[in-house]
Amino acid sequence: MVTIREISKKANVSIATVSKVLNGKPGVSKFTADHVLSIARELNYRPNLNARSLKKGQSQTLGIITEDLTVFNTPDIIDGIDVYCESQGYHYILSNLRLNKRYGNHPDDIDIKECTKLINSLTDTLLSKQVNGIIYIGCHSHAVVPTKYSNEIPFVYAYCYSTNPKIPSVMYDDQKAAFEVTQLLINKGHTHIGVIAGLRESIHTTNRILGYQEALYTNNIPYNPRLTLYGNWERDEGYYLSEELIKAGVTAIFAHNDLMAIGVIDYCNKHGIQVGKDLSLFGFDNREISAYCHPTLSTVSLPLFEIGQHATRLMLDILAGHNIEGGLKIMLPCSIIERESTGLPVSKEKNKSEESHETRS
Amino acid sequence: MVTIREISKKANVSIATVSKVLNGKPGVSKFTADHVLSIARELNYRPNLNARSLKKGQSQTLGIITEDLTVFNTPDIIDGIDVYCESQGYHYILSNLRLNKRYGNHPDDIDIKECTKLINSLTDTLLSKQVNGIIYIGCHSHAVVPTKYSNEIPFVYAYCYSTNPKIPSVMYDDQKAAFEVTQLLINKGHTHIGVIAGLRESIHTTNRILGYQEALYTNNIPYNPRLTLYGNWERDEGYYLSEELIKAGVTAIFAHNDLMAIGVIDYCNKHGIQVGKDLSLFGFDNREISAYCHPTLSTVSLPLFEIGQHATRLMLDILAGHNIEGGLKIMLPCSIIERESTGLPVSKEKNKSEESHETRS
DNA sequence: AGAAAAAAGTTAAACGTTTAACTTTTTTAA
DNA sequence: TTAAAAAAGTTAAACGTTTAACTTTTTTCT
């Protein structure tokens, strides 16, 4: 390892001078600076960031705790964090809870006590590594486990509704998205719109139903609670619940995620109901599958990358002591993607390849 | 920040004693140790890992460079690394190239020069952070950009064929998987098996064709080059190429990824050909979509998690100076997943939900 | 030319650890 | 009862930086 000491020897200056040059600090002549720089380059010098952060008491590093890295939302959020960090000269360290692997994906299966312990231990490690702040990326609908460290180090929650009003969070706007989906269906002439909701206890479910009701209300359509059925986010549930809705006479279904919407498509295909013609269908999440099923599925695209970026901006603002613009709870809008399942003319779907994600094997 | 100095003051011992206690080193009485430990706990002491690694010249940290975090294979590989690192008391730092975001997913679009620069800069940063080794996670079929740092720090390549024989790599066995797929189709009585291959220049394509040919040869079936068509890994290509193969009289198609296989399904559905009955179909990759399409798609599941684990084991073995068991190039087997598209009785598919990934929105 | 001011450069301590070398205390054994 | 051995504990230097305080050199101004 080449150190500034070696550079200073070779350049015949003190290590302080080398340090100044390397950090672009004043108090050294251009001649000397060039000389030092050229030697540093020649020796292939690389600063020891650990030593620097030790001395400065500032690591320029954020910690990221992910509830589960392999869940579809997480990588894009990290991508957003990555880009923003890079632009600001920040680094980050990842820590992964592997919640789904440990407990499966039903909120009731989670052992909160064990989970809290786990989070605390990850947080401890991050603090040991001198991170300046921690971004917590959720993946579940269950309420986030509260942290006891929130006054030791700044926290920002991403992709989850934080229960602690003092902890900032960045989330997408479930209610607004649901409102827009419903409004769109109403604009197409639907008045009997069924909902295949998520788990009853999920805050996503609650907010999406609120948005749905709001749109009905705005358009003077009475809310019929029998047209809102609760599912478990799985495909099969979409399959079975669609039968009930269709028998109740709905002309459109808003499923709270793409997987349940696929179930609806399966049911319809089996029973000769043409989705996109006899029935309009919306999903939620814009999973890859929604672009490949038949008919292709209209859905809601989540601003994952933006959530990552905003969470990071928020964190860096907090660390810099800025007063936080836009408040502590940021809600980002989703975008609505119309495809064949809501009767989009097929021609418009020609260039759907632009929406496909990674395709290489 | 609580330091060992504060503990030593409060406990009335030297900092050396505190250090010994905290590290479980000998030369301190049980009485003193307990005393120190209780004070450390009381003060909520957390070691400064940066300071420790500075002194020890050993960070217990690996660097990970991902070509693209948002590509389907990457998160599971990281999961494997995470688990293995955790079990060995190692940490890791992630660095993301965002190759797809920068260049799209066609190998020819990559600016190798710029890309090399990028990798070098990420590697530089990792070295500055004193990582002990770097695991490189590929995602593309193009050859991996060689690194100039391979004699400064140990590298292990994961999910890519390294061209440098001195750099260890962990990969899944394309050829063996293709052999097994083909053998399975032959066992079902097929002799005219078409291939919708990946890009001609991809090493995956080459190896999968080799496995296919090997199986034909083993079973005394002549190889007909006209039944192997090259695609571009995209769905549409699967759609168009299937026409040619079906006209040539194949009774089974082996597509080199699930996306192109979906294209085949689409073609067949449109032309009244029953996949799983009139035609047997295999994909590759076990993307989520393969479990949700109609009919469900037989495919090859990649040992992603295991690749991560093995890469990490390999790296830690190298760092520990062990002689590497299993050699420097590790090939892990894939597993074959049979579903409806190869004529599996529908009953067997009842509990397919166990295969679904994350389903929560 | 010479004093004052500005610029260039150096010294040394510090960040929080670990650890080799040392000293003091306790235990063992004849 | 002692001397030797073992155990317990301390001192001080080091890891690679940064930076406040200082000294030396150069420039500016009269």
Side-chain angles (χ1 to χ4, degrees):
Chain A
M1 267 255 29
V2 183
T3 69
I4 56 170
R5 186 155 281 112
E6 291 175 52
I7 298 176
S8 83
K9 276 215 188 89
K10 197 148 188 190
N12 255 314
V13 293
S14 70
I15 59 165
T17 302
V18 176
S19 176
K20 280 182 201 165
V21 171
L22 261 22
N23 291 286
K25 295 248 164 110
V28 32
S29 68
K30 187 165 182 332
F31 179 83
T32 313
D34 286 349
H35 184 213
V36 167
L37 242 28
S38 82
I39 287 180
R41 210 164 300 127
E42 179 191 328
L43 295 181
N44 200 7
Y45 169 77
R46 255 188 307 268
N48 182 325
L49 258 29
N50 286 347
R52 175 180 293 170
S53 101
L54 173 60
K55 186 66 189 63
K56 296 234 249 185
Q58 227 285 76
S59 63
Q60 296 267 101
T61 299
L62 302 180
I64 303 179
I65 297 180
T66 59
E67 285 190 351
D68 199 313
L69 185 58
T70 62
V71 170
F72 79 104
N73 64 293
T74 310
D76 282 300
I77 297 177
I78 297 177
D79 233 32
I81 296 176
D82 186 80
V83 169
Y84 200 88
C85 276
E86 190 177 309
S87 76
Q88 304 296 307
Y90 257 76
H91 307 281
Y92 62 89
I93 298 174
L94 203 73
S95 253
N96 190 17
L97 271 175
R98 294 197 309 279
L99 221 54
N100 276 24
K101 295 283 160 46
R102 289 187 215 261
Y103 302 112
N105 60 17
H106 196 286
D108 292 347
D109 298 338
I110 292 180
D111 179 339
I112 290 285
K113 212 161 167 189
E114 195 184 308
C115 193
T116 307
K117 237 175 159 175
L118 222 66
I119 294 182
N120 286 344
S121 130
L122 291 188
T123 310
D124 254 334
T125 306
L126 288 176
L127 286 169
S128 270
K129 294 186 173 189
Q130 313 301 111
V131 300
N132 300 136
I134 294 179
I135 297 177
Y136 183 98
I137 305 179
C139 74
H140 274 76
S141 30
H142 69 83
V144 139
V145 176
T147 174
K148 65 174 183 185
Y149 292 99
S150 59
N151 33 21
E152 278 203 65
I153 185 166
F155 264 82
V156 168
Y157 286 164
Y159 201 84
C160 45
Y161 295 95
S162 87
T163 42
N164 183 337
K166 284 178 146 178
I167 300 184
S169 64
V170 182
M171 196 33 170
Y172 62 88
D173 197 332
D174 267 310
Q175 185 171 344
K176 188 167 167 239
F179 177 90
E180 288 174 3
V181 164
T182 313
Q183 182 65 58
L184 189 148
L185 290 171
I186 293 171
N187 288 349
K188 284 185 182 278
H190 297 281
T191 52
H192 286 64
I193 303 170
V195 173
I196 296 182
L199 282 170
R200 204 181 219 104
E201 56 268 37
S202 160
I203 180 106
H204 296 283
T205 303
T206 311
N207 287 342
R208 289 175 199 176
I209 290 177
L210 278 174
Y212 163 77
Q213 292 173 324
E214 190 190 343
L216 292 184
Y217 183 81
T218 308
N219 291 272
N220 291 313
I221 299 171
Y223 170 64
N224 178 354
R226 304 184 57 197
L227 297 188
T228 296
L229 305 180
Y230 291 89
N232 63 355
W233 305 113
E234 306 273 357
R235 189 247 298 253
D236 288 357
E237 199 95 343
Y239 188 97
Y240 297 118
L241 293 178
S242 49
E243 177 160 25
E244 193 173 336
L245 288 176
I246 288 166
K247 284 195 175 142
V250 303
T251 59
I253 291 181
F254 172 25
H256 278 187
N257 72 357
D258 290 344
L259 260 34
M260 294 191 296
I262 295 294
V264 176
I265 292 181
D266 290 351
Y267 178 86
C268 292
N269 283 343
K270 195 152 199 169
H271 294 81
I273 301 166
Q274 280 200 48
V275 174
K277 218 174 139 203
D278 306 335
L279 181 88
S280 278
L281 177 64
F282 244 95
F284 210 107
D285 286 349
N286 191 26
R287 298 282 283 260
E288 182 179 62
I289 194 175
S290 66
Y292 288 101
C293 54
H294 278 293
T296 54
L297 181 63
S298 295
T299 187
V300 176
S301 167
L302 311 177
L304 300 174
F305 185 83
E306 290 77 11
I307 288 177
Q309 289 208 301
H310 274 83
T312 315
R313 179 188 56 70
L314 196 55
M315 176 60 86
L316 298 194
D317 277 356
I318 290 169
L319 291 176
H322 297 157
N323 51 350
I324 292 121
E325 102 185 65
L328 279 143
K329 303 278 175 194
I330 295 180
M331 281 288 193
L332 299 177
C334 301
S335 48
I336 308 294
I337 299 181
E338 277 192 81
R339 297 209 187 91
E340 293 164 1
S341 71
T342 42
L344 196 72
V346 180
S347 64
K348 253 198 173 177
E349 272 292 299
K350 264 282 171 58
N351 48 358
K352 57 193 140 206
S353 57
E354 76 184 64
E355 275 172 30
S356 74
H357 299 154
E358 157 61 4
T359 55
R360 214 149 287 282
S361 83
Chain B
M1 269 256 27
V2 183
T3 68
I4 56 171
R5 187 155 281 112
E6 291 174 52
I7 298 176
S8 81
K9 277 218 186 86
K10 197 146 187 191
N12 256 314
V13 294
S14 71
I15 59 165
T17 302
V18 176
S19 177
K20 279 183 202 165
V21 171
L22 261 22
N23 290 287
K25 295 248 164 108
V28 30
S29 68
K30 185 164 184 335
F31 178 83
T32 314
D34 287 349
H35 184 213
V36 167
L37 240 30
S38 83
I39 287 180
R41 211 164 299 127
E42 178 192 329
L43 294 180
N44 199 7
Y45 169 77
R46 256 188 305 268
N48 182 326
L49 257 30
N50 286 347
R52 176 180 293 171
S53 102
L54 173 60
K55 187 64 191 61
K56 296 233 247 183
Q58 227 285 74
S59 62
Q60 296 266 101
T61 299
L62 301 180
I64 303 179
I65 297 179
T66 60
E67 284 190 350
D68 198 315
L69 185 58
T70 62
V71 169
F72 79 102
N73 64 295
T74 311
D76 282 299
I77 297 177
I78 297 178
D79 233 33
I81 296 176
D82 186 80
V83 169
Y84 200 89
C85 277
E86 190 178 308
S87 76
Q88 305 295 309
Y90 256 76
H91 308 281
Y92 61 90
I93 298 176
L94 201 75
S95 252
N96 189 17
L97 270 174
R98 294 200 307 280
L99 220 55
N100 277 24
K101 295 285 160 45
R102 289 187 214 260
Y103 301 111
N105 61 17
H106 196 287
D108 291 348
D109 297 339
I110 291 179
D111 179 337
I112 289 285
K113 213 161 165 189
E114 197 185 307
C115 193
T116 308
K117 239 175 157 174
L118 222 65
I119 294 181
N120 286 344
S121 131
L122 292 188
T123 310
D124 254 335
T125 306
L126 289 176
L127 286 170
S128 270
K129 293 185 172 188
Q130 313 301 112
V131 300
N132 300 135
I134 295 179
I135 297 177
Y136 183 99
I137 305 180
C139 74
H140 274 74
S141 31
H142 69 83
V144 138
V145 175
T147 175
K148 64 173 182 183
Y149 292 100
S150 58
N151 33 20
E152 280 203 63
I153 185 167
F155 264 82
V156 168
Y157 285 163
Y159 200 84
C160 45
Y161 295 94
S162 87
T163 41
N164 184 337
K166 286 179 144 177
I167 301 184
S169 64
V170 182
M171 196 32 171
Y172 62 88
D173 196 333
D174 268 309
Q175 185 171 343
K176 187 168 168 239
F179 177 89
E180 288 174 3
V181 164
T182 313
Q183 182 65 60
L184 190 148
L185 290 170
I186 293 170
N187 289 348
K188 284 184 182 275
H190 297 282
T191 51
H192 286 66
I193 303 170
V195 173
I196 297 182
L199 282 169
R200 203 180 219 105
E201 56 268 37
S202 161
I203 180 104
H204 296 283
T205 303
T206 312
N207 288 342
R208 290 174 198 176
I209 291 178
L210 279 173
Y212 162 77
Q213 293 173 324
E214 191 190 342
L216 293 184
Y217 183 80
T218 308
N219 292 273
N220 291 314
I221 300 171
Y223 170 64
N224 179 355
R226 304 183 60 197
L227 297 187
T228 296
L229 306 180
Y230 292 88
N232 61 356
W233 305 112
E234 307 272 356
R235 189 246 298 252
D236 288 357
E237 199 95 342
Y239 187 97
Y240 297 118
L241 294 179
S242 48
E243 178 159 25
E244 193 173 336
L245 287 177
I246 287 165
K247 285 195 174 141
V250 303
T251 60
I253 291 181
F254 171 25
H256 277 186
N257 72 357
D258 290 344
L259 260 34
M260 294 191 296
I262 294 293
V264 175
I265 292 181
D266 290 349
Y267 178 86
C268 291
N269 283 343
K270 196 154 200 169
H271 294 81
I273 301 166
Q274 281 199 48
V275 173
K277 217 175 141 204
D278 306 334
L279 181 89
S280 278
L281 176 65
F282 243 98
F284 209 107
D285 286 349
N286 191 26
R287 298 284 282 260
E288 181 179 63
I289 194 174
S290 67
Y292 287 101
C293 56
H294 279 292
T296 54
L297 181 64
S298 295
T299 187
V300 176
S301 167
L302 310 178
L304 300 174
F305 185 85
E306 290 77 12
I307 287 177
Q309 288 207 304
H310 275 82
T312 314
R313 179 188 56 70
L314 196 54
M315 177 59 86
L316 297 193
D317 277 356
I318 289 167
L319 290 176
H322 297 158
N323 51 348
I324 292 123
E325 103 184 64
L328 279 143
K329 304 277 174 194
I330 295 180
M331 280 288 193
L332 300 177
C334 300
S335 48
I336 308 294
I337 298 181
E338 276 192 82
R339 298 209 187 89
E340 293 164 0
S341 72
T342 42
L344 196 71
V346 179
S347 64
K348 253 201 173 175
E349 272 292 298
K350 263 284 171 58
N351 49 356
K352 58 193 141 208
S353 57
E354 79 185 62
E355 274 173 31
S356 74
H357 298 154
E358 157 62 4
T359 55
R360 214 147 286 284
S361 83

